[in-house]
Amino acid sequence: MRVLVTGGAGFIGSHLVDVLRGRGHEPVVYDVREDPGADVRDPAAVARALAGVDAVCHQAAMVGLGDGVLDAAEYVSRNDLGTAVLLTAMAEAGVRRLVLAGSMVVYGEGRYACPRHGVVRPGPRAVGDLEAGRFEPACPVCGQDLAPGLVGEDAPADPRNVYATTKLAQEHLAAAWARCTGGSAVSLRYHNVYGPGMPRDTPYAGVASFFRSSLARGEAPRVFEDGRQLRDFVHVRDVAAANLAALEAEARGGALTAYNTGSGEPHTVGEMARALASAYGGPEPVVTGAYRLGDVRHITADSSRLRGELGWKPVVGFEDGMAEFARAGMRGA
């Protein structure tokens, strides 16, 4: 299979390219890092890149929380306009298979249960609560403490920042393309991806990159809130394998199918920081109590659909993955 990989020179994309080659496929890298003219917003360049292609893995995106709404236009341009241009070119070229780099950020907060009211959906956390160190969302009905759980793909979307909004819009665009063309679209909703080759020293990278960059500078990782926020840290090689599984699965024409892509092992951000610092041999993390308004408290994945329908399973455990990541090289922003 000849596969166009947008963002193929990036963190996840480069691992995906290796996996595709190892499986006997022919990846075609389309990335501004390698060719400044390889912009997904350029219709002519995208059309040329799609020549002879059987499928597309769309990894190219502007990532991270960004700077509130000040860079909203840039996020929308790169993520949503770029996806629209790509899908238009695919429709014209007759390419009918798409795997999209989705994200768990489309959910907003994860799944919560109240002892009295069952599953509930708390709204955005109030600034006053965050300032006072009250980080846990409460039941919107009775105010009691909530128990976090695993979020499934059927949870309503509730993006809480500009980046999350653009990731949800990408899915809607892909679904519209699938309906119009009869194509097959899969969105892999990545949870917190980490591993060798993460970008360093950039505000747009993930929390694992922040901590690893701090350690490389001889500084203690600085953990927001109280460090007890739950995440699902999934290794980049497992994410690349999920893309391969989606590409090789039987196509479902005319619709978009979303799959959570996580390790299935929830850990707190504080646990991750301590594991990484210990493996690196650096200073202990510092819990700061600081917060970002765009952050959510707990979000962990129920990836059973991906396991059951595509036969995928993660193979890199948390401790082994963090030990490798502590020793691995990183790339420039």
Side-chain angles (χ1 to χ4, degrees):
M1 189 185 304
R2 183 175 169 88
V3 182
L4 181 68
V5 184
T6 69
F11 169 44
I12 297 173
S14 60
H15 285 272
L16 174 55
V17 166
D18 290 343
V19 167
L20 288 169
R21 286 186 179 135
R23 186 73 170 182
H25 297 296
E26 181 185 356
V28 178
V29 175
Y30 188 82
D31 196 305
V32 291
R33 297 172 185 84
E34 292 196 347
D35 177 4
D39 191 325
V40 289
R41 297 168 293 184
D42 183 337
V46 173
R48 289 192 296 270
L50 285 168
V53 162
D54 303 300
V56 174
C57 278
H58 185 29
Q59 307 293 316
M62 185 174 179
V63 301
L65 291 183
D67 187 16
V69 297
L70 298 180
D71 46 12
E74 189 69 12
Y75 270 102
V76 171
S77 176
R78 291 180 180 272
N79 295 353
D80 298 337
L81 175 60
T83 298
V85 169
L86 173 64
L87 294 171
T88 300
M90 289 174 65
E92 292 173 344
V95 179
R96 296 292 182 262
R97 188 152 203 152
L98 171 71
V99 179
L100 173 68
S103 176
M104 53 87 174
V105 295
V106 301
Y107 297 117
E109 288 286 353
R111 185 180 188 275
Y112 292 89
C114 171
R116 292 178 57 190
H117 297 100
V119 175
V120 295
R121 293 190 59 78
R125 294 179 293 172
V127 172
D129 287 337
L130 296 171
E131 289 283 354
R134 294 189 294 270
F135 301 121
E136 294 289 346
C139 175
V141 181
C142 66
Q144 286 197 31
D145 292 341
L146 300 174
L150 303 181
V151 64
E153 292 88 352
D154 58 350
D158 186 15
R160 300 285 174 90
N161 55 64
V162 169
Y163 169 63
T165 302
T166 65
K167 295 306 290 184
L168 182 59
Q170 283 185 313
E171 289 194 355
H172 289 320
L173 288 166
W177 166 85
R179 287 193 296 271
C180 290
T181 65
S184 169
V186 169
S187 178
L188 297 175
R189 291 175 174 169
Y190 302 158
H191 282 246
N192 289 72
V193 187
Y194 74 96
M198 281 194 89
R200 65 175 183 270
D201 298 324
T202 167
Y204 299 101
V207 66
S209 174
F210 295 164
F211 294 163
R212 178 64 171 75
S213 296
S214 294
L215 289 165
R217 296 191 300 268
E219 301 171 359
R222 296 180 63 81
V223 180
F224 281 2
E225 301 186 15
D226 58 5
R228 297 175 184 171
Q229 51 275 53
L230 283 165
R231 296 293 187 268
D232 186 317
F233 300 99
V234 58
H235 196 277
V236 65
R237 287 196 298 274
D238 287 330
V239 169
N243 277 268
L244 179 66
L247 278 171
E248 294 183 341
E250 182 177 352
R252 297 181 181 179
L256 177 138
T257 305
Y259 293 103
N260 285 334
T261 307
S263 69
E265 299 180 34
H267 290 274
T268 68
V269 173
E271 285 177 321
M272 189 272 285
R274 290 190 294 273
L276 192 57
S278 175
Y280 190 87
E284 284 288 307
V286 174
V287 177
T288 67
Y291 65 89
R292 298 185 300 181
L293 274 179
D295 281 341
V296 297
R297 180 59 175 175
H298 303 298
I299 176 72
T300 53
D302 178 355
S303 300
S304 57
R305 177 185 292 179
L306 180 57
R307 294 168 183 251
E309 294 186 5
L310 300 189
W312 169 88
K313 64 178 181 178
V315 298
V316 182
F318 178 78
E319 296 295 338
D320 289 342
M322 289 298 161
E324 179 198 23
F325 183 44
R327 300 186 299 268
M330 300 180 75
R331 65 176 64 206

